[in-house]
């Protein structure tokens, strides 16, 4: 299982775009990259998933370079309610091993 | 998206008793479910993989006789914490895998267990 590395914390202000980068140098050919959001005392919520290039949905974009050794989650125009922990995971075998995630603090 | 529920959402029990936590996939069938534990200010730790109709696969260091997992149907997996002790107090979260070709897991809301 590929290990991931993310910044432990990030600060932003309301209305700004936030980009969280995750490194996964040992990603395997069959691995997908998935991002989750977790609020305190809640289960993680699926945000977005991708394999290569760019993926966009109603809440975020995921940028994956050609070598797939990293990925960037982009949150447009964050609000206070986006304050949460964001996890980047890679895998295909069914097991997801969570790292420490990135604690995003959005300030007014 | 796929919905996963857990019951109960929180439970308080006395030391030595057993507690059962249910995980249900509400709008899809899940041949594989996963159980995680999360302590305060920490990340999720995978405890075991629950496969419908077969024995669960436990991660290293997780006692299978203490954390009994049953996945009797395609929509229900249960985790029973046997002879619970205060150190078992934690946030237990289940997830269910959707799809076969790519890795998408949907998580339940979690169950807060407090053992007195």
């Amino acid at each position: 299982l590929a290990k991931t590395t993310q910044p432990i914390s990030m600060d932003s202000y309301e209305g700004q775009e936030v980009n969280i980068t995750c490194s996964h140098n040992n990603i395997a050919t069959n691995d997908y990259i998935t991002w989750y959001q977790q609020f305190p005392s809640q289960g993680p919520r699926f945000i977005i998933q991708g394999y290569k290039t760019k993926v966009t949905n109603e809440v975020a974009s995921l940028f994956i370079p050609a070598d797939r050794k990293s990925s960037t989650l982009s949150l447009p125009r964050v609000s206070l309610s986006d304050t949460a922990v964001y996890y980047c995971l890679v895998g295909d075998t069914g097991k997801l091993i969570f790292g420490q995630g990135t604690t995003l603090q959005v300030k007014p | 998206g796929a919905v996963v529920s857990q019951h109960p959402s929180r439970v308080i029990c006395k030391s030595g008793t057993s507690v059962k936590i249910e995980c249900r996939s509400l709008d899809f069938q899940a041949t594989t479910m996963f159980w995680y534990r999360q302590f305060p200010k920490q990340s999720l730790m995978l405890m075991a993989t629950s496969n419908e109709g077969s024995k669960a696969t436990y991660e290293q260091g997780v006692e299978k006789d203490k954390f009994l997992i049953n996945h009797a149907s395609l929509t229900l997996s249960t985790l029973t914490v046997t002879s619970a002790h205060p150190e078992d107090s934690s946030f237990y979260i289940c997830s269910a895998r959707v799809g076969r070709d790519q890795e998408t897991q949907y998580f339940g809301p979690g169950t807060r267990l407090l053992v007195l």
Side-chain angles (χ1 to χ4, degrees), chain A residues 48-68:
Chain A
I48 198 166
Q49 183 179 72
Y51 183 80
K52 61 181 179 180
T53 63
K54 176 184 175 181
V55 180
T56 298
N57 61 22
E58 63 274 10
V59 298
S61 294
L62 178 60
F63 299 91
I64 306 169
D67 66 5
R68 304 203 322 126

Side-chain angles (χ1 to χ4, degrees), chain B residues 4-8 19-25 30-36 47-58 64 66-82 92-96 111:
Chain B
V4 177
S5 70
Q6 282 185 240
H7 178 80
V19 174
K20 180 186 286 188
I21 302 170
E22 293 184 348
C23 176
R24 292 182 185 274
S25 56
T31 55
T32 305
M33 291 183 174
F34 303 87
W35 287 95
Y36 296 82
M47 299 176 66
T49 301
S50 170
N51 299 296
E52 188 268 336
S54 64
K55 291 183 178 181
T57 303
Y58 291 82
K64 63 179 181 180
K66 181 169 183 61
F67 298 100
L68 301 179
I69 292 173
N70 185 280
H71 193 158
S73 76
L74 289 173
T75 60
L76 173 65
S77 176
T78 60
L79 169 69
T80 301
V81 183
T82 62
Y92 291 86
I93 310 169
C94 72
S95 72
T111 297

Side-chain angles (χ1 to χ4, degrees), chain B residues 2 62 83:
Chain B
V62 178
S83 186

